Amino acid sequence: MDYDNDGMLDLIVGERYGYIHYYRRTSESPITLTKEADIVCASIRIDVGNNSAPVCVDWNEDGKRDLLVGNESAGNIRLYINDSADDDPVYNTYSLIQSSGTSIIHYRNCPQVYDMNMDGKKDILVGISNGQIRYYENTGTNDAPVFSGSEFIISTGSSGARFWVNDWNEDGLPDVLASNFNGYIRVYIQLFQSIEGEETPATRKLAVSRNPFAGSVVINGNGFSNGTISIYDLLGRVVLSEPFTGSLEWNASGASAGYYFAEVRDAQGSAVINLLKL
């Protein structure tokens, strides 16, 4: 992104120890980057603990770039409002992004801001340690976002979800490029966009016979055909993966107690349901 508005793309980089580095581009040909001072707040170098994950965005729509920063622990999302000019940001304090009145917290929080439902308002997506990407819909306005809960939309299949949102196939819908601890990059293509007042192509829901459960559980799917089902543990590890034609009984007697999530996917998309084994 062009951090100083000089017409050349710069780099704002989070790092392991919680600081935020600024690499300013000084020429395009050849590409030359100069490391500037780390980003500061109230003249003190920003330190979010570990694994800073910065995003530059005009959060309050005042024409000046602000800064969101995720982190490993406490796993919150900090919002730094720019109190100066767009080409020379100054941050003096921060607040924590909230959902339903409490701070959004996920271990190894990696946020991105994008209008995922294309209603003209910025939403938040969060990649987290267990490999999930969660979607927080903005129920407020574009200049004063409000969030009231989240939904799980993608499992990257391994721990440490990191991602980018873009229209990969140029069909007008936002897609997701995601990586994780295993080192692969996957492209998740959005196949259709639900619009308020219109029906989506099919009613696609998952249900389970009982939840929480002990020995086994039956997962039923409505609207899926010739798909696959994958069950993941909280670290994003695949516990089971096989064809899905509408129903599957998972014998989890050998699995540890805890949370799992099942994802069913076919040519039209996917759906996820959370499971709790006692």
Side-chain angles (χ1 to χ4, degrees):
M1 58 91 58
D2 185 1
Y3 194 70
D4 57 356
N5 284 352
D6 65 353
M8 295 186 289
L9 295 178
D10 311 303
L11 291 177
I12 303 297
V13 182
E15 50 97 86
R16 172 61 181 165
Y17 298 103
Y19 306 121
I20 303 171
H21 301 321
Y22 169 30
Y23 295 88
R24 182 173 60 88
R25 183 165 296 184
T26 54
S27 69
E28 293 283 14
S29 181
I31 294 175
T32 304
L33 294 168
T34 300
K35 188 179 186 308
E36 304 289 345
D38 289 347
I39 306 298
V40 302
C41 176
S43 300
I44 299 173
R45 182 166 60 164
I46 292 175
D47 181 359
V48 298
N50 283 321
N51 287 348
S52 57
V55 179
C56 291
V57 61
D58 183 1
W59 186 256
N60 55 2
E61 296 298 319
D62 64 353
K64 300 180 294 186
R65 73 189 76 249
D66 307 306
L67 184 67
L68 266 69
V69 188
N71 56 75
E72 179 175 304
S73 181
N76 49 39
I77 304 176
R78 295 186 182 188
L79 169 62
Y80 294 84
I81 294 296
N82 181 5
D83 293 324
S84 183
D86 189 44
D87 59 356
D88 187 20
V90 172
Y91 313 111
N92 291 306
T93 187
Y94 71 86
S95 59
L96 300 180
I97 301 297
Q98 296 193 333
S99 174
S100 300
T102 60
S103 298
I104 295 175
I105 295 178
H106 298 287
Y107 186 64
R108 290 190 176 177
N109 202 331
C110 179
Q112 293 291 343
V113 178
Y114 203 92
D115 181 10
M116 286 299 290
N117 57 354
M118 302 193 304
D119 64 353
K121 300 181 294 185
K122 58 178 73 73
D123 307 306
I124 286 182
L125 290 89
V126 181
I128 56 182
S129 180
N130 66 7
Q132 291 186 7
I133 298 175
R134 303 198 67 88
Y135 163 55
Y136 288 82
E137 179 186 356
N138 180 4
T139 57
T141 62
N142 195 39
D143 60 351
V146 174
F147 307 100
S148 303
S150 67
E151 60 179 299
F152 163 80
I153 60 169
I154 289 173
S155 169
T156 65
S158 186
S159 58
R162 297 292 182 265
F163 67 99
W164 184 254
V165 183
N166 200 351
D167 183 2
W168 181 256
N169 58 354
E170 298 186 356
D171 64 352
L173 299 177
D175 309 306
V176 175
L177 282 77
S179 66
N180 54 38
F181 186 76
N182 66 23
Y184 298 107
I185 299 175
R186 297 178 176 176
V187 180
Y188 297 85
I189 299 296
Q190 185 170 174
L191 297 176
F192 57 84
Q193 177 71 52
S194 175
I195 301 174
E196 186 176 357
E198 297 182 1
E199 295 184 357
T200 57
T203 302
R204 303 162 64 77
K205 296 180 180 178
L206 298 182
V208 293
S209 56
R210 52 193 171 277
N211 201 16
F213 68 98
S216 63
V217 62
V218 177
I219 303 166
N220 295 300
N222 178 37
F224 288 88
S225 61
N226 298 322
T228 59
I229 183 169
S230 299
I231 297 176
Y232 303 89
D233 64 14
L234 267 182
L235 294 178
R237 296 175 296 198
V238 179
V239 177
L240 175 148
S241 183
E242 60 183 66
F244 185 81
T245 57
S247 182
L248 173 84
E249 181 174 3
W250 177 36
N251 182 356
S253 57
S256 302
Y259 284 97
Y260 296 83
F261 50 96
E263 178 188 41
V264 174
R265 178 177 294 275
D266 64 10
Q268 289 185 296
S270 65
V272 175
I273 192 166
N274 295 328
L275 307 171
L276 174 59
K277 183 182 184 277
L278 300 177

